[in-house]
Amino acid sequence: MSRPRLRVVRRVALSGDSWRTETATLPSEVTWRTPRLVLLRTAVAAPTGAGKTSIISLLSRFYDVQQGAILVDGVDVREVRQAELRRHIGVVLQDPVLFSGTISRNIRLLDEDITDEEVRRAAHYVNADTFIERFEDGYEHEVKERGANLSVGQRQLLTFARAIAFNPSVLLVMVLAPRP
């Protein structure tokens, strides 16, 4: 039996009376709609412990639901190959992760299909180009392990640029949300 292929993700739904992992039961009937070419239209903002990481983990299939279903354009994610599913999902973690190497290399993550122009466009989209171009060597500026030679804000912008460069259908951003 062939597995479904995703083209452009337009709708993500968590369905069932509730959906459950091995460690938590989370709210039911949450739906995101992601129109093509529109990023950051929908966000999940919640205090620590509310389930943001669980949603990202379930949507990316780091583990599967035990009850309920995660649907992407009406298809249960358990029916889609993990690599196919993850190709459509970009994640920006709360704590930015960078590697030793150039800024350009950190944005493209060794994916040579991402052109220099796409790297620059992604950096411009998130306004990272303003600090990158201040470096004498620009996009070839060496980043120390974990981005130790950059500010937290610069590291965060580079991880945003990385997610944008991969052109995901769904962009999930982990940020702290204040308690009401």
Side-chain angles (χ1 to χ4, degrees), residues 49-143:
K52 297 182 303 288
T53 301
S54 294
I55 289 171
I56 288 172
S57 296
L58 289 168
L59 183 57
S60 302
R61 288 202 58 215
F62 291 123
Y63 50 87
D64 288 325
V65 294
Q66 307 297 309
Q67 176 182 327
I70 310 296
L71 306 175
V72 175
D73 290 339
V75 176
D76 189 321
V77 295
R78 292 172 288 194
E79 297 176 20
V80 180
R81 292 183 194 277
Q82 287 177 332
E84 173 71 12
L85 180 65
R86 291 175 185 169
R87 187 171 69 83
H88 293 276
I89 300 169
V91 177
V92 178
L93 300 172
Q94 189 171 307
D95 296 318
V97 177
L98 295 177
F99 308 96
S100 58
T102 65
I103 286 175
S104 177
R105 189 173 173 168
N106 266 279
I107 292 173
R108 78 167 39 97
L109 277 185
L110 301 176
D111 185 338
E112 296 304 321
D113 290 337
I114 297 174
T115 67
D116 288 344
E117 177 59 30
E118 289 168 323
V119 166
R120 284 176 169 72
R121 195 172 330 143
H124 177 75
Y125 187 84
V126 300
N127 206 30
D129 59 335
T130 57
F131 83 83
I132 294 170
E133 291 169 0
R134 283 190 229 138
F135 294 124
E136 187 175 308
D137 43 359
Y139 289 84
E140 295 310 305
H141 183 74
E142 284 293 320
V143 175

Side-chain angles (χ1 to χ4, degrees), residues 3-20:
R3 294 178 181 247
R5 288 190 50 87
L6 302 174
R7 296 191 190 276
V8 175
V9 176
R10 295 183 189 276
R11 183 171 182 260
V12 176
L14 312 173
S15 71
D17 293 332
S18 66
W19 41 277
R20 201 169 69 74

Side-chain angles (χ1 to χ4, degrees), residues 64 90 105 138 145-146 148 172:
D64 288 325
R105 189 173 173 168
E145 187 67 30
R146 298 187 195 137
L172 301 170

Side-chain angles (χ1 to χ4, degrees), residues 39-40 121-123 125-126 159-168 171:
L39 296 174
L40 302 175
R121 195 172 330 143
Y125 187 84
V126 300
T159 59
F160 266 104
R162 176 189 303 149
I164 298 297
F166 280 83
N167 196 25
L171 180 60

